[in-house]
């Protein structure tokens, strides 16, 4: 797993990153809320461990902003506050699980694995980002109530962009999603599909949603 840890306390942060690495996971550790939000929007993580009391931006605001941008990465909320209201607020804001400090690392790891498994077990049959709706069972895409006529490749590209809405989807990810291999020379092919997809999307709504992130890939960012 690739895990983002947003935690300002050095001891806690250090022990989390060490524990995760020892368990064979990759870990990015940032110490304030603003950086946490930027990291979570900037790349794809399998899970986020988010402290509530943070400098820069409170954990709850980070969580709300992520969910508002359509980022569905599982989030485990950490806090020293054990009050029931905090737990409810955290879960309502879009947290998947909640852990009160102090806790044992194996418990965190077990919960982390559980939220990731749940996220994988329940692939959404329908994905919505703002007024754009994609239905995986009927293969229909609607924007603003208008059905979009997409090719299978365009549909697949839009699916992965919507799954990672707000985040950067790299060309390598697109390539592996579309052809199950990282194919050298795919860049131009992807660009052609992307141009057509952008035109179809923008026909029924204002603003360019699919942004090119120079040197990295693409991101679906509702304007
Ligand atoms: Ca803290």
């Amino acid at each position: 797993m690739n895990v983002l840890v947003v935690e300002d306390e050095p001891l806690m942060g250090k022990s989390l990153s060490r524990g995760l690495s020892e368990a064979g996971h990759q870990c990015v550790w940032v110490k304030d809320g603003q950086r946490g939000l930027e990291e979570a929007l900037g790349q794809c993580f399998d899970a986020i461990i988010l402290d509530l009391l943070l400098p820069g931006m409170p954990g709850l605001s980070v969580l709300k902003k992520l969910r508002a941008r359509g980022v569905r990465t599982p989030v485990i909320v950490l806090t020293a506050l054990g009050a029931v209201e905090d737990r409810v607020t955290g879960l309502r804001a879009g947290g998947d699980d909640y852990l009160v400090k102090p806790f044992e690392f194996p418990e965190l790891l077990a919960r982390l694995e559980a939220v990731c498994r749940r996220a994988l077990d329940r692939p959404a049959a329908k994905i919505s980002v703002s007024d754009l709706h994609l239905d995986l069972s009927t293969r229909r895409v609607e924007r603003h109530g208008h059905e979009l006529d997409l090719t299978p490749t365009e549909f697949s590209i839009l699916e992965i962009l919507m799954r990672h809405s707000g985040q950067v989807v790299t060309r390598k990810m697109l390539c592996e999603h579309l052809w199950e291999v990282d194919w050298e020379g795919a860049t131009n092919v992807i660009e052609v599909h992307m141009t057509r997809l952008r035109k179809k999307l923008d026909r029924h709504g204002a603003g360019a949603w699919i942004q090119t992130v120079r040197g990295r890939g693409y991101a679906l960012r509702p304007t």
Side-chain angles (χ1 to χ4, degrees):
M1 278 187 278
N2 188 17
V3 182
L4 174 66
V5 174
V6 192
E7 166 64 82
D8 59 316
E9 288 153 52
L11 277 178
M12 176 65 82
K14 240 178 240 164
S15 87
L16 284 175
S17 19
R18 195 176 46 229
L20 286 166
S21 320
E22 282 171 8
H25 302 298
Q26 286 164 287
C27 169
V28 174
W29 170 27
V30 296
K31 301 180 184 82
D32 78 87
Q34 184 62 41
R35 278 283 315 281
L37 180 65
E38 287 162 12
E39 283 293 333
L41 292 174
Q43 61 167 299
C44 294
F45 291 96
D46 298 303
I48 299 170
I49 299 174
L50 179 67
D51 188 30
L52 281 190
L53 296 174
L54 289 167
M57 184 187 293
L60 269 187
S61 307
V62 175
L63 184 52
K64 282 184 190 157
K65 282 179 202 283
L66 283 178
R67 295 307 188 226
R69 295 282 288 270
V71 176
R72 277 173 292 274
T73 311
V75 172
I76 294 189
V77 172
L78 293 187
T79 184
L81 312 166
V84 175
E85 308 86 74
D86 293 318
R87 178 168 195 268
V88 171
T89 315
L91 294 177
R92 277 217 184 110
D96 296 82
D97 204 349
Y98 190 94
L99 218 50
V100 178
K101 295 177 190 171
F103 52 82
E104 298 290 326
F105 185 76
E107 179 173 10
L108 172 75
L109 198 57
R111 300 241 198 146
L112 200 56
E113 283 162 359
V115 291
C116 288
R117 214 165 32 237
R118 285 207 298 272
L120 287 176
D121 283 351
R122 283 187 280 121
K126 285 183 186 163
I127 312 173
S128 294
V129 176
S130 186
D131 64 353
L132 181 64
H133 308 283
L134 179 141
D135 190 323
L136 287 160
S137 49
T138 60
R139 313 282 295 175
R140 276 169 62 110
V141 177
E142 279 185 10
R143 180 165 191 195
H144 228 71
H146 299 275
E147 186 170 355
L148 269 56
D149 184 19
L150 302 186
T151 65
T153 306
E154 290 160 1
F155 184 93
S156 296
I157 292 176
L158 186 60
E159 181 198 339
I160 187 167
L161 287 172
M162 288 178 77
R163 280 191 191 282
H164 299 285
S165 169
Q167 300 164 311
V168 176
V169 174
T170 62
R171 289 189 180 84
K172 185 173 156 65
M173 283 168 67
L174 272 169
C175 221
E176 287 171 353
H177 176 68
L178 292 171
W179 300 291
E180 293 178 354
V181 285
D182 187 6
W183 167 37
E184 212 177 314
T187 304
N188 292 339
V189 179
I190 289 175
E191 192 55 51
V192 170
H193 290 297
M194 202 61 83
T195 304
R196 285 205 295 250
L197 177 59
R198 276 187 173 124
K199 273 192 194 139
K200 290 180 181 179
L201 270 186
D202 295 343
R203 200 172 294 154
H204 298 296
W209 275 20
I210 302 178
Q211 299 173 1
T212 303
V213 183
R214 201 178 288 271
R216 297 187 60 196
Y218 303 90
L220 184 71
R221 290 185 175 138
T223 44

